[in-house]
Amino acid sequence: MPGTASPFTDIARSRRSPRQFLPAALSPSDIHGVLEDAQTAPSNSNTQPWTVHVVSGAARDALAKELLRAEEEGRTSPDFTDGYGEGLYLERSQALGASVYRARGVERSDRDGRRAAVRENLEFYGAPHAAFLFMPALGDGVRTAGDIGMYAQNFLLSLAARGLAGIPQTVLGVYADTVREFLGVPAELKLLFGISFGMADPAAPVNTLRTERVPLQRSVVLHDTPGILDRQ
């Protein structure tokens, strides 16, 4: 009924990005279902520009070793630039980083601890599966990247609806050449990011982290749409 909260509201608002997973593999039916749900995402002119590679088992372990080796050797190869500018977005990013390190018990001055935490990204935080989201180079890439984002959100919410979890990781895209070479992906497909997924470890202190969202008043501007932003 209009105005009634749905199960989707609970799923969307309770979804989290865990940073430690249990090693148990998911069932083929769960993974298939998540991929089917993700496939229903909208895209510009129905182009469906995503190509998704999922690694598990021995392939997952071998790719993690290649990523760690690339990190040790400083072989970064991002397909896209990054950065947060100066000001609000940088502050939000730094606040998240500080929260994650605190949850892990890593001091700001502990360089080795901070690097070890970063390297856990490249081991998929212990997740048994990882999906890599590739896109073709169409125009300036912005619309295509938006399509990939909608696919990824479907993917993440489908996991959450099944009592599972995933975390999108842009750092995996920093080693695009390493991933492409390992998976046999052609150079014309660009790696936007990856998603590590499985079952979140409920005992991991870092998984108690809850990131805040800014209030609607700071991100939404309404035009002739009264009575929205004054609601509690």
Side-chain angles (χ1 to χ4, degrees):
M1 294 177 60
T4 302
S6 70
F8 173 81
T9 300
D10 295 333
I11 293 167
R13 297 186 185 187
S14 64
R15 191 206 66 79
R16 298 290 184 268
S17 294
R19 288 173 172 81
Q20 191 165 328
F21 290 81
L22 298 175
L26 303 185
S27 70
S29 62
D30 273 333
I31 296 176
H32 182 270
V34 169
L35 293 170
E36 287 278 16
D37 290 343
Q39 193 74 13
T40 68
S43 59
N44 184 40
S45 295
N46 197 36
T47 49
Q48 304 175 61
W50 42 77
T51 297
V52 182
H53 286 245
V54 178
V55 296
S56 309
R60 172 243 183 252
D61 296 344
L63 179 53
K65 290 180 180 178
E66 290 298 322
L67 289 167
L68 291 171
R69 184 176 298 113
E71 189 273 341
E72 291 172 359
E73 298 173 358
R75 289 188 285 107
T76 57
S77 52
D79 289 328
F80 302 96
T81 58
D82 62 5
Y84 305 102
E86 297 292 336
L88 177 63
Y89 307 112
L90 178 61
E91 291 169 5
R92 290 176 182 170
S93 173
Q94 291 174 334
L96 173 63
S99 297
V100 171
Y101 289 132
R102 279 197 302 271
R104 289 187 173 279
V106 177
E107 299 292 336
R108 183 176 180 82
S109 59
D110 183 0
R111 292 186 177 182
D112 290 340
R114 289 164 68 89
R115 185 187 176 197
V118 171
R119 284 170 63 83
E120 288 184 13
N121 276 272
L122 306 180
E123 296 180 287
F124 315 119
Y125 291 121
H129 314 283
F132 292 85
L133 280 58
F134 292 89
M135 53 178 274
L138 304 177
D140 63 6
V142 173
R143 293 185 186 277
T144 310
D147 293 341
I148 302 301
M150 289 186 280
Y151 178 98
Q153 184 71 336
N154 269 21
F155 192 105
L156 293 166
L157 291 176
S158 180
L159 286 168
R162 298 163 192 275
L164 307 172
I167 177 171
Q169 297 170 261
T170 54
V171 71
L172 297 177
V174 172
Y175 300 92
D177 286 347
T178 298
V179 175
R180 259 192 301 269
E181 181 178 354
F182 182 88
L183 297 177
V185 176
E188 59 265 25
L189 290 180
K190 306 304 180 183
L191 177 57
L192 193 56
F193 58 89
I195 299 174
S196 295
F197 65 102
M199 291 182 288
D201 184 350
V206 71
N207 287 346
T208 64
L209 178 64
R210 297 292 181 264
T211 57
E212 296 182 356
R213 297 296 186 267
V214 300
L216 295 180
Q217 290 84 347
R218 295 179 59 183
S219 59
V220 177
V221 179
L222 300 175
H223 302 267
D224 291 328
T225 314
I228 305 299
L229 297 184
D230 56 352
R231 295 171 64 88
Q232 298 297 318

